[in-house]
Amino acid sequence: MTGIIYHRLFGEHLQGYNHVESPERYEVIMKRLRNCPFSGGLDFIEAESAGVKLLELVHDGKYVSDILSMKIDSPVVLDWGDTVATPASQQAALHAAGAGVQAARLVLGGELDSAFCPVRPPGHHAERDRAMGFCIFNNVAIAASWLISEGGLGRVAIVDWDVHHGNGTEHVFFDDDRVLYISLHQYPHYPGTGHFNSVGSGKGAGYTINLPVGAGADDSLYLGKFHERIIPALDGYRPEFILISAGFDAHGDDPLSGCRLTTGAFGEMTRLLRESAQKHCGGRIVSMLEGGYDLEALADSVESHVEALVTEA
Ligand SMILES: [Zn+2]
């Protein structure tokens, strides 16, 4: 069974505020997943809230307490302008982080085969001590850290196909060989990090793999990177768990990128990772929503992604 770890709060963050990372993103995804032909194969599970201890697996205590103690009556900017919080945002961010850990726990425990978490706010730009790029807490990094510290794993792979580089996730695990971070992203592009020669340091040297692509990159270029680089890297690493930072903003219709993926590419990339997970770790995959800003392309791409998680090849 594939879990969908949802919460109404994911549709309340930034409500009433005009932002491209909009509550409608969550609404269209949930509407699609509840009405798709394979919805019977999905287990809809309400997300738990993360406690402070989980957040501090990745984030500085002072940053966590600064965020959680803010009194938010009207929209406030958390960084230099693109990350905004409204009254529901703190609770939404706690549940977004909680969803990833909950999904990881349920998949590790065998209660689910895989899971997709349609969380808002997203996470991969959030740094140890600051909000950035629409992200407050780094949801996928928190799930990976939980798999290591509580799940007892020693090799967790994060594949990040959001069109933007996941600077926050890279930094958290840059000198750590217990997480293999692989990012496929448009470059040069926001946030400016993710050069191919950024490969990790110390014990983590070689465990960060950046695969930058130029604007205009299409399905064949992306899938080529999977076949030539990503799948072989996973074969070498033999992950015990695969996490996906699933952004859908490399779609051709997306307003925030110059990449040209079709809907079907997201299904194909998912099938390749699923095969890899079946080969190395009993099929264990948890996918966390990151970007994706054209509502129709987002709903279509999420459907293609989740269908590939659910359906036997
Ligand atoms: Zn993105």
mmCIF file of all heavy atoms in Angstrom, residues 6 30 42 52 109 152 170 176 201 214 297:
data_model
loop_
_atom_site.group_PDB
_atom_site.id
_atom_site.type_symbol
_atom_site.label_atom_id
_atom_site.label_comp_id
_atom_site.label_asym_id
_atom_site.label_seq_id
_atom_site.Cartn_x
_atom_site.Cartn_y
_atom_site.Cartn_z
ATOM 1 N N TYR A 6 -1.291 13.394 4.517
ATOM 2 C CA TYR A 6 -1.906 14.694 4.209
ATOM 3 C C TYR A 6 -2.257 15.438 5.493
ATOM 4 O O TYR A 6 -2.270 14.860 6.589
ATOM 5 C CB TYR A 6 -3.193 14.456 3.388
ATOM 6 C CG TYR A 6 -4.304 13.895 4.250
ATOM 7 C CD1 TYR A 6 -5.282 14.734 4.799
ATOM 8 C CD2 TYR A 6 -4.343 12.537 4.571
ATOM 9 C CE1 TYR A 6 -6.266 14.227 5.625
ATOM 10 C CE2 TYR A 6 -5.325 12.025 5.406
ATOM 11 C CZ TYR A 6 -6.281 12.881 5.936
ATOM 12 O OH TYR A 6 -7.241 12.385 6.772
ATOM 13 N N MET A 30 -4.680 16.989 -3.809
ATOM 14 C CA MET A 30 -5.551 16.099 -3.037
ATOM 15 C C MET A 30 -6.803 15.720 -3.824
ATOM 16 O O MET A 30 -7.251 14.568 -3.790
ATOM 17 C CB MET A 30 -5.922 16.759 -1.706
ATOM 18 C CG MET A 30 -4.769 16.830 -0.730
ATOM 19 S SD MET A 30 -4.028 15.200 -0.361
ATOM 20 C CE MET A 30 -5.365 14.459 0.603
ATOM 21 N N LEU A 42 -4.455 3.645 -2.519
ATOM 22 C CA LEU A 42 -3.804 4.651 -1.677
ATOM 23 C C LEU A 42 -4.396 4.621 -0.271
ATOM 24 O O LEU A 42 -5.596 4.435 -0.094
ATOM 25 C CB LEU A 42 -4.000 6.048 -2.280
ATOM 26 C CG LEU A 42 -3.477 6.248 -3.704
ATOM 27 C CD1 LEU A 42 -3.823 7.657 -4.193
ATOM 28 C CD2 LEU A 42 -1.977 6.006 -3.764
ATOM 29 N N VAL A 52 9.829 19.436 18.718
ATOM 30 C CA VAL A 52 11.050 20.253 18.589
ATOM 31 C C VAL A 52 12.294 19.384 18.431
ATOM 32 O O VAL A 52 13.209 19.704 17.673
ATOM 33 C CB VAL A 52 11.172 21.186 19.817
ATOM 34 C CG1 VAL A 52 12.551 21.836 19.881
ATOM 35 C CG2 VAL A 52 10.083 22.252 19.761
ATOM 36 N N GLY A 109 8.795 0.369 9.056
ATOM 37 C CA GLY A 109 8.133 -0.664 9.857
ATOM 38 C C GLY A 109 7.315 -1.650 9.037
ATOM 39 O O GLY A 109 6.728 -2.582 9.574
ATOM 40 N N GLY A 152 18.113 3.678 12.714
ATOM 41 C CA GLY A 152 19.323 2.855 12.771
ATOM 42 C C GLY A 152 19.965 2.568 11.423
ATOM 43 O O GLY A 152 20.794 1.676 11.302
ATOM 44 N N GLU A 170 21.765 19.732 0.738
ATOM 45 C CA GLU A 170 23.188 19.487 0.459
ATOM 46 C C GLU A 170 24.050 19.894 1.647
ATOM 47 O O GLU A 170 24.933 19.151 2.075
ATOM 48 C CB GLU A 170 23.639 20.261 -0.790
ATOM 49 C CG GLU A 170 25.146 20.131 -1.021
ATOM 50 C CD GLU A 170 25.636 20.864 -2.256
ATOM 51 O OE1 GLU A 170 25.247 20.461 -3.362
ATOM 52 O OE2 GLU A 170 26.407 21.831 -2.108
ATOM 53 N N ASP A 176 28.883 14.101 5.322
ATOM 54 C CA ASP A 176 28.295 12.903 5.937
ATOM 55 C C ASP A 176 28.108 11.819 4.867
ATOM 56 O O ASP A 176 27.431 12.041 3.859
ATOM 57 C CB ASP A 176 26.931 13.305 6.531
ATOM 58 C CG ASP A 176 26.376 12.268 7.492
ATOM 59 O OD1 ASP A 176 26.774 11.079 7.402
ATOM 60 O OD2 ASP A 176 25.532 12.647 8.320
ATOM 61 N N SER A 201 32.519 16.844 1.379
ATOM 62 C CA SER A 201 33.860 17.019 1.934
ATOM 63 C C SER A 201 34.069 16.048 3.087
ATOM 64 O O SER A 201 33.103 15.488 3.620
ATOM 65 C CB SER A 201 34.057 18.468 2.407
ATOM 66 O OG SER A 201 33.185 18.737 3.483
ATOM 67 N N GLY A 214 21.084 22.542 -18.403
ATOM 68 C CA GLY A 214 20.771 23.864 -18.915
ATOM 69 C C GLY A 214 19.273 24.055 -19.112
ATOM 70 O O GLY A 214 18.510 23.077 -19.169
ATOM 71 N N ALA A 297 -0.372 21.248 -14.533
ATOM 72 C CA ALA A 297 0.818 20.415 -14.729
ATOM 73 C C ALA A 297 1.194 19.719 -13.424
ATOM 74 O O ALA A 297 1.634 18.559 -13.427
ATOM 75 C CB ALA A 297 1.988 21.271 -15.231
#
